[in-house]
Amino acid sequence: MSKKLFIETFGCAMNTRDSEHMIAELNKEEPYELTMDASQADLILVNTCSVREKPVQKLFSELGQYKKQKKEGAKIGVTGCTASHLGAQIIQKAPYVDFVLGARNVSKLAHALHTPKAVEIDIDYDESQYAFGEYRSNPLKAYINISIGCDKQCTFCIVPHTRGDEISIPQELILREAQRAVDSGAKELFLLGQNVNNYGRRFSDNSQKSSFTQLLREVSRIDGVERIRFTSPHPLHMDDAFLEEFASNDKICKSMHMPLQSGSTAILHAMKRGYTQEWFLNRAKKLRQMVPNVHISTDIIVAFPGESLEDFEATLDVMREVQFEQIFSFKYSPRPHTAAIHLPNAIEEAEASRRLTQLQALNDELLDTLAAKRVGNRERVLFEELKSDGYVQGRADSNMLIKVKGSEELLGTLRDVEITQAGRVGNVAKLL
Ligand code: 5AD
Ligand code: SF4
């Protein structure tokens, strides 16, 4: 009987891909079967995120639960961004944890399994050319890393500390991986990097040169690739060449993530984001002019230290002007190893919550207006999931969730639909 793996993944798409990498690494040694039941597992992996404080606090109570549930002899490993930043402290606080592997060290899983109390958290470690095995949780939709780490110094963000400096993966490795994914049935490629449109910034072999725009062009030439998505781009690197490629390349899905963080130029400066409110609005406007059906999503942090009511209002103004189709909004969470932790004028918790609620209420209002206009629109959907209520669900080019009445023969197909009912998040449509 093969061994069993229970793996829990928090955080972003990079972490999801790291979990796939770890599953592939394990299977290079011996076959592991995935289980949803921690008490059945021979190995329990918790792949953590540390971008905000709360999930980090919850980690230890969760590990305590796994300790109680796990079967005799089963191992527990903590991996990912919290592993990078807490390192050996995790084993000090939870001595039953068998190993700790940082976000940039997931290729060392086999070594960690055979080394008692291994802690591998080196952020200079170069995994950019490491030959991971193949494992994909969704063969239709293939995640492909194009860079690792992040060179930005956003003052709120712990990621440069957990994932290290940015290194680009050589273009030929990316193209080979894309081809392999397509050969095994992928219709959609999802290119991943912490700062994806800064691709080409640094290669470990420094004779190479490339840019994200060039890479997009090359990937889209692969036969069989139907759709390309990517995350997360940085508004600062949205130059005209990139926007033109995005607009003119039919294989690129017309959904763009533009993490605003704040609409106030003063706060953007304090966050070291490298752009102003005017630059952001200019890029969003240009994008909407070039791609009228584009969907723009964003991330916003409220109550960054020193955020005045005028600064907060500036964020709401940008929301009204850009009309984002999706917003991920957060209260600022002070993180260790970040510059913002030393800033004065912290906003009180109650006021931070009030701002978040106000922002989300405005977002709901704006989304309702957008939804009303969407009924009757045509969209192209890749169907991925059979729902229990006789519907099949997928994502449109724009990344919107759309479901139609139907059955499993729709799974894996790309179909044109017309929206009959539109909501803030999901939509109902009929097949055309
Ligand atoms: N506090 C709150 N939100 C944060 N994010 C990153 N760091 C913090 C922090 N310290 C948010 C940003 C980022 C998203 C992934 O998480 O909006 O884009
Ligand atoms: Fe979380 Fe950021 Fe690490 Fe992703 S890179 S897992 S969002 S801390």
Side-chain angles (χ1 to χ4, degrees), residues 98-351:
D98 293 284
F99 60 88
V100 173
L101 271 187
R104 201 164 172 144
N105 300 258
V106 292
S107 59
K108 298 177 186 162
L109 182 58
H111 157 80
L113 264 177
H114 300 134
T115 314
K117 304 292 172 194
V119 176
E120 296 285 345
I121 54 167
D122 183 358
I123 56 166
D124 294 328
Y125 188 65
D126 184 355
E127 268 181 349
S128 65
Q129 302 197 38
Y130 185 79
F132 285 99
E134 277 287 304
Y135 174 82
R136 300 198 176 277
S137 42
N138 182 350
L140 271 182
K141 223 171 162 167
Y143 282 141
I144 298 180
N145 285 116
I146 69 161
S147 57
I148 56 178
C150 180
D151 268 3
K152 290 273 177 287
Q153 293 294 325
C154 301
T155 56
F156 53 79
C157 188
I158 195 172
V159 175
H161 180 77
T162 62
R163 290 190 178 261
D165 289 347
E166 197 169 317
I167 301 185
S168 299
I169 294 173
Q171 187 165 291
E172 68 274 13
L173 293 186
I174 297 170
L175 294 177
R176 223 180 292 154
E177 187 175 348
Q179 184 67 60
R180 268 205 309 273
V182 170
D183 291 345
S184 23
K187 304 229 157 145
E188 186 172 303
L189 302 180
F190 215 127
L191 308 181
L192 301 179
Q194 223 47 251
N195 191 359
V196 82
N197 55 337
N198 200 28
Y199 177 74
R201 158 132 180 100
R202 184 187 298 118
F203 290 97
S204 28
D205 161 11
N206 54 23
S207 65
Q208 297 205 32
K209 289 245 169 325
S210 185
S211 70
F212 189 54
T213 304
Q214 210 175 318
L215 180 70
L216 282 172
R217 231 172 262 154
E218 294 293 332
V219 171
S220 67
R221 285 199 189 112
I222 296 176
D223 266 352
V225 174
E226 304 222 25
R227 280 174 149 186
I228 300 169
R229 295 188 193 279
F230 50 84
T231 203
S232 246
H234 194 297
L236 181 66
H237 301 298
M238 293 191 178
D239 55 28
D240 286 352
F242 166 66
L243 293 186
E244 273 152 27
E245 184 62 27
F246 179 83
S248 63
N249 189 326
D250 287 341
K251 290 191 177 174
I252 300 178
C253 288
K254 302 307 179 224
S255 74
M256 182 80 89
H257 191 57
M258 288 184 73
L260 170 67
Q261 312 301 0
S262 167
S264 150
T265 296
I267 296 295
L268 287 170
H269 184 71
M271 288 175 163
K272 288 220 170 89
R273 290 289 289 170
Y275 54 87
T276 58
Q277 184 202 72
E278 290 67 31
W279 168 261
F280 189 93
L281 288 175
N282 168 287
R283 293 292 89 185
K285 191 169 163 201
K286 176 140 195 173
L287 181 59
R288 290 223 191 264
Q289 275 165 359
M290 293 170 88
V291 189
N293 61 343
V294 69
H295 272 216
I296 307 182
S297 56
T298 197
D299 294 339
I300 296 177
I301 298 176
V302 300
F304 186 78
E307 183 188 72
S308 67
L309 282 177
E310 290 72 39
D311 293 320
F312 176 60
E313 281 297 331
T315 299
L316 303 183
D317 287 344
V318 174
M319 283 170 60
R320 288 188 197 96
E321 188 154 345
V322 178
Q323 308 252 332
F324 297 105
E325 276 80 7
Q326 192 174 20
I327 298 184
F328 302 92
S329 51
F330 315 99
K331 274 187 279 187
Y332 168 70
S333 169
R335 309 303 297 124
H337 312 287
T338 62
I341 200 150
H342 306 295
L343 290 177
N345 306 322
I347 310 296
E348 277 186 18
E349 177 60 29
E351 174 59 12

Side-chain angles (χ1 to χ4, degrees), residues 10-16 18 47-52 80-82 84 103 157-160 162-163 194 335:
F10 295 96
C12 61
M14 266 58 70
N15 254 24
T16 305
D18 286 346
N47 195 10
T48 59
C49 170
S50 61
V51 82
R52 279 168 291 274
C81 286
T82 304
S84 305
C157 188
I158 195 172
V159 175
T162 62
R163 290 190 178 261
Q194 223 47 251
R335 309 303 297 124

